[in-house]
């Protein structure tokens, strides 16, 4: 093997392959530029939905909301995820990256797609929202941009899979692939499914927009489009859970409680998450209740079960690692003594809490067949998915970026004091933002809507004053979150382009080494659980989990009660 | 650094479960099953369920049925646009059109009476959102959805559109007036 192209990071011990390293850097930088575009549109959209400000005119609002959705939900996250796939294969497995030239082709296609799509929206005849529901037409380039981006991302997925094959072939690691790589493999498999669904729906829609085919059934479109739209969010879940495990391992040296449980939970994602398309169609005509119930529950909530398992095993693994270091007093000393000033850890932990408590509970509640009647298309829906995708995925990726700046980019973090506060500001801002959005949605405020006062309408409607208060709070908390996001972009861009180089040397040309198995756990006297309580290795985490479940149960019951108060229907 | 390294044991799938994991998985699985069975249970015992009744239709066919109802049961008109207000007999089939950018016609229903409400779109997708009672469904062109509804509150209701449908989406407002019956 050509060893010229490898270097070892002295701080982390990670081994980088030069072509993979360059590709990861370029993907991460491109992702953050897209995040900036998404952030600017977020600012303008939020300032318009803040009733007291109501900044933009209607046409501009719908245009920028379309841009915000596509750039954030698809372009930013997937571009960053390709970097994660290369990291989890080439770097973690100490392996050369498969076909770097094709990886560059994939990157080029993705970026051309981003430009083509955004240009179409900026031109003004593609303000169709991310979902582009037929028969509302968009400029054909809107679909073409998405298709090009998807083809590029698919190449990235295949390169990840190819790299796994090479690592196995060239025996760059002992035993089985690490859990984090396994999680990334899950994300990759879901991504291939997602992109295939996207091709099935977007290629005909492109042909329809060109006038080559006459008709696309609107319900069929919704069914297949959401196999793209929701499954792409499941790539994020698998990827950010893998990032949680990675950060727990990096910061604490944490080891999964059991490999079997964590890996099975990832497998449940592959088996059931694709059914998610269903919970966008719960109040659609022409689809039976039986189909809705089975699919919206991901087959009896087995994928929800998987997330609840990760929600226990990630903090549980941290608790066990901390207890082994001696932080074993009471239930929560392990958590109090965690490095709360390190944004790599604090961001990851806020991501975990926000994803579970805000995003997870609300998602399951509104994905209940009948409860969806009181929530569908209200602003509750963006409230939910900002909790999952922004607090969950984006904040997890931000934390990982803080780790990658010295390790991958070989730069010191500028303004570390600002970086230290960033996850708190961003997490708190988004936490309030999503909560008040869900509150306003419960009062019936619509999503994707320019004027909640209906001033130009022939017939009027007045929302209760409390709805206006909540939308005002959406504006204020949104500004907090945007400042948090801006600080992240500022710190990372300044560090990468102007930061001081890391002091240690990391030259290329080292001999490639084989990734060894983890150290066997040293069992404390009395077994695994002796440092915990009640025979549990992680009693503090268990108490947290029960607290989570109690809130879940109460909130679930409250929503059934609310549903029971609306008009009888059948 | 173990989650980013291969498992310590080659035969890692034989490692026994920790007690904390086993307990939590059992509780979480039980809760998942409860949530799953709540949905069919509500179909049997709950009063708020969407029907499975829907038909393929065309804008022209649906327009003809709606027009017939408007011609027969209009009681007055409202606003400069002379929007018809329709008071159909209780128990009957009633029709509502969603189109750019209007819910048509306005309906007047009697409290505690049951109606079969048919809704369809003439053009793009729309969101039927009845406020303040807060009932929301998706309205899709080519499909005629049938909801059997029983208004049990006397407050007049507004229909807003909550599926984005173009530039004047936010002006798409309709009404369902509720009377105390016997008019």
């Amino acid at each position: 093997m050509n060893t010229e192209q490898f270097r070892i990071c002295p701080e982390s011990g990670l081994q980088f392959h030069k072509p993979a390293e360059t590709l990861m850097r370029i993907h991460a930088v491109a992702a953050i530029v897209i995040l900036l575009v998404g952030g600017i549109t977020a600012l303008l959209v939020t300032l318009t939905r803040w009733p007291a400000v109501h900044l933009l005119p209607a046409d501009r609002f719908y245009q920028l909301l379309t841009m915000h959705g596509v750039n954030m939900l698809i372009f930013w996250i997937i571009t960053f995820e390709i970097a994660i796939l290369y990291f989890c294969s080439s770097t973690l497995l100490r392996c050369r990256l498969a076909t770097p030239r094709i990886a560059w082709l994939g990157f080029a296609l993705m970026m051309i797609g981003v430009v083509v799509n955004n240009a179409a929206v900026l031109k003004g005849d593609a303000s169709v929202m991310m979902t582009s529901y037929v028969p509302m037409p968009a400029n054909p380039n809107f679909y073409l941009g998405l298709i090009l981006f998807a083809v590029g991302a698919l190449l990235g997925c295949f390169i990840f899979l190819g790299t796994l094959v090479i690592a196995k072939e060239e025996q760059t690691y002992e035993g089985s692939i690490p859990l984090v790589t396994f999680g990334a493999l899950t994300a990759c498999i879901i991504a291939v499914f997602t992109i295939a669904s996207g091709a099935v729906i977007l290629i005909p829609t492109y042909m329809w927009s060109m006038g080559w085919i006459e008709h696309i059934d609107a319900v069929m479109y919704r069914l297949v489009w959401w196999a793209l739209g929701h499954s792409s969010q499941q790539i994020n879940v698998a990827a950010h859970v893998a990032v949680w495990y990675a950060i727990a391992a990096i910061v604490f040296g944490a080891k999964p409680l059991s490999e079997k449980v964590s890996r099975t939970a990832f497998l449940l994602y592959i088996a059931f998450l694709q059914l998610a398309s269903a919970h966008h169609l719960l109040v659609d005509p022409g689809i039976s209740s039986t189909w809705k119930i089975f699919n919206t529950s991901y087959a009896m909530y087995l994928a929800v079960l998987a997330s609840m398992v990760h929600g226990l095993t990630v903090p549980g693994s941290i608790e066990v690692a901390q207890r082994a270091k001696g932080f074993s007093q009471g239930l929560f000393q392990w958590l109090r003594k965690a490095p709360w000033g390190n944004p790599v850890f604090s961001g990851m932990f806020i991501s975990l809490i926000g994803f579970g408590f805000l995003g997870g509970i609300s998602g399951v509640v509104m994905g209940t067949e009948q409860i969806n009647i009181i929530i569908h298309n209200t602003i509750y829906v963006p409230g939910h998915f900002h909790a999952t995708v922004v607090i969950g995925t984006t904040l997890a990726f931000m934390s990982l970026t803080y780790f990658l700046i010295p390790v991958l980019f070989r730069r010191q973090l500028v303004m570390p004091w600002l970086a230290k506060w960033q996850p708190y500001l961003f997490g708190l801002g988004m936490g309030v933002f999503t909560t008040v959005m869900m509150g306003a949605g419960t009062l019936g405020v619509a999503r994707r809507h320019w004027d909640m006062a209906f001033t130009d309408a022939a017939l009027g409607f007045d929302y209760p004053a409390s709805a206006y208060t909540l939308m005002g709070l959406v504006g204020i908390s949104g500004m907090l979150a945007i400042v948090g996001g801006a600080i992240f972009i500022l710190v990372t861009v300044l560090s990468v382009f102007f930061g001081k180089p890391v002091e240690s040397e990391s030259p290329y040309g080292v001999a490639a080494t084989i990734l060894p198995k983890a150290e066997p756990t040293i069992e404390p006297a009395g077994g695994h659980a002796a440092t915990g309580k009640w025979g549990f290795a992680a009693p503090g985490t268990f108490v947290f989990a029960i607290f989570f479940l109690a809130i879940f149960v109460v909130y679930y019951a409250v929503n059934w009660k609310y549903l029971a108060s609306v008009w009888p229907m059948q | 650094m173990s989650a980013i390294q291969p498992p310590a044991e080659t035969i890692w799938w034989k490692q026994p479960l920790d007690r904390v994991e086993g307990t939590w998985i059992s509780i979480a699985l039980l809760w998942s099953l409860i949530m799953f069975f709540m949905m069919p249970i509500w179909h049997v015992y709950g009063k708020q369920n969407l029907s499975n009744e829907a038909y393929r239709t065309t804008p022209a066919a649906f327009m003809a049925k709606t027009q017939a109802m408007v011609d027969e049961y209009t009681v007055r008109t409202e606003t400069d646009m002379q929007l018809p207000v329709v008071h159909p007999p209780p128990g009957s089939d009633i029709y509502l059109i969603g189109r750019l950018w209007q819910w048509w016609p306005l309906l007047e229903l009697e409290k505690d009476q049951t109606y079969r409400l048919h809704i369809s779109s003439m053009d793009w997708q729309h969101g039927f959102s009845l406020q303040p009672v807060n009932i929301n469904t998706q309205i899709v062109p080519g499909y005629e959805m049938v909801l059997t509804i029983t208004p049990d509150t006397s407050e007049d209701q507004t229909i807003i559109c909550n599926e984005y449908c173009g530039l004047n989406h936010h002006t798409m407002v309709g009404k369902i007036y509720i009377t105390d019956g016997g008019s």
Side-chain angles (χ1 to χ4, degrees), chain B residues 17 76-77 81 89 96 110-111 114 131 137 144 146 165:
Chain B
L17 249 65
R76 62 178 187 276
T77 60
M81 297 159 76
L96 179 70
E110 294 175 21
K111 192 185 167 197
T114 298
Q131 300 296 336
T137 69
E144 175 176 341
V146 186
C165 59

Side-chain angles (χ1 to χ4, degrees), chain A residues 12 58-59 62 92 127 129 133-137 174 176-180 217-219 222 245 249-250 253-261 263 282-289 293 296-297 300-301 305 308-309 312-313 364 368-370 373-378 442-444 446 448-451 454 456-461 463 515-520 528 534-538 542 545-546 549 552-553 556 560 562-564 566-570, chain B residues 1-10 12-21 23-25 27-29 31-43 46-54 56 78-79 81 83 103 106 109 123-127 129-141 143-153 155 157-158 160-178:
Chain A
S12 63
D59 56 344
Y62 292 126
L92 288 186
S127 301
M129 303 294 143
Y133 287 141
V134 301
M136 181 192 281
E174 298 174 348
S176 306
I177 56 172
L179 176 63
V180 172
D217 183 89
V219 170
R222 288 168 60 78
Y245 280 114
I250 289 161
K255 179 184 166 63
L257 293 178
S258 77
E259 297 277 354
K260 176 168 54 183
V261 169
R263 286 176 198 237
L282 292 176
V283 295
D284 277 32
I287 299 168
S288 78
S289 288
I293 289 174
T296 192
S297 66
M300 296 191 262
Y301 291 109
L305 176 69
M308 286 168 76
V309 168
L312 179 91
T313 56
V364 174
T368 305
E369 193 210 2
Q370 295 94 341
I373 296 169
I374 55 175
I375 291 176
H376 180 73
N377 270 356
T378 67
T442 306
L443 297 173
R448 296 175 168 179
H449 198 280
W450 177 68
D451 183 15
F454 306 99
D456 300 333
L459 301 154
F461 175 63
Y463 279 110
L515 177 68
K517 288 183 198 170
E519 296 288 314
H528 196 39
W534 320 311
F536 286 173
F542 186 75
I546 294 296
L549 186 67
F552 199 165
V553 172
Y556 186 70
W560 280 111
Y562 178 20
L563 176 70
V566 312
W567 289 359
M569 278 176 285
Q570 50 175 298
Chain B
M1 294 239 230
S2 166
I4 57 173
Q5 281 178 288
E9 303 85 8
T10 310
W12 48 263
W13 56 89
K14 291 207 170 155
Q15 181 194 339
L17 249 65
D18 191 276
R19 191 165 163 187
V20 72
E21 286 182 305
T23 313
W24 176 245
I25 291 170
I27 296 171
L29 182 62
W31 173 236
S32 297
L33 291 174
I34 291 173
M35 291 195 298
F36 176 73
F37 285 109
M38 263 312 282
M39 292 187 281
I41 288 170
W42 196 266
H43 271 281
K47 290 206 176 98
Q48 292 79 15
N49 289 291
L50 293 181
S51 73
N52 288 322
E53 194 177 350
R56 282 204 181 273
E78 280 191 1
T79 79
M81 297 159 76
L83 297 171
W103 293 106
L106 310 184
L109 307 181
D123 35 56
W124 295 346
Q125 299 193 26
H126 296 288
S129 176
L130 195 66
Q131 300 296 336
V133 70
N134 202 13
I135 292 170
N136 307 277
T137 69
Q138 189 78 19
I139 306 305
V140 184
Y143 289 81
E144 175 176 341
M145 178 185 243
V146 186
L147 288 177
T148 305
I149 55 167
T150 312
D152 64 352
T153 53
E155 194 174 7
Q157 300 290 326
T158 301
I160 64 170
C161 179
N162 70 3
E163 182 58 77
Y164 169 69
C165 59
L167 193 57
N168 288 319
H169 161 55
H170 49 272
T171 64
M172 186 168 165
V173 177
K175 291 283 176 189
I176 296 183
Y177 298 111
I178 309 295

Side-chain angles (χ1 to χ4, degrees), chain A residues 306-343:
Chain A
S307 284
M308 286 168 76
V309 168
H310 290 305
L312 179 91
T313 56
V314 174
S317 69
I318 295 175
E319 178 171 356
V320 170
Q322 286 279 78
R323 284 180 184 274
K325 284 181 200 140
F327 300 119
S328 56
Q329 279 172 22
L331 280 173
F332 297 115
Q333 192 197 25
W334 63 276
L335 192 56
R336 278 202 313 279
K337 297 288 184 186
W340 292 102
N342 177 355

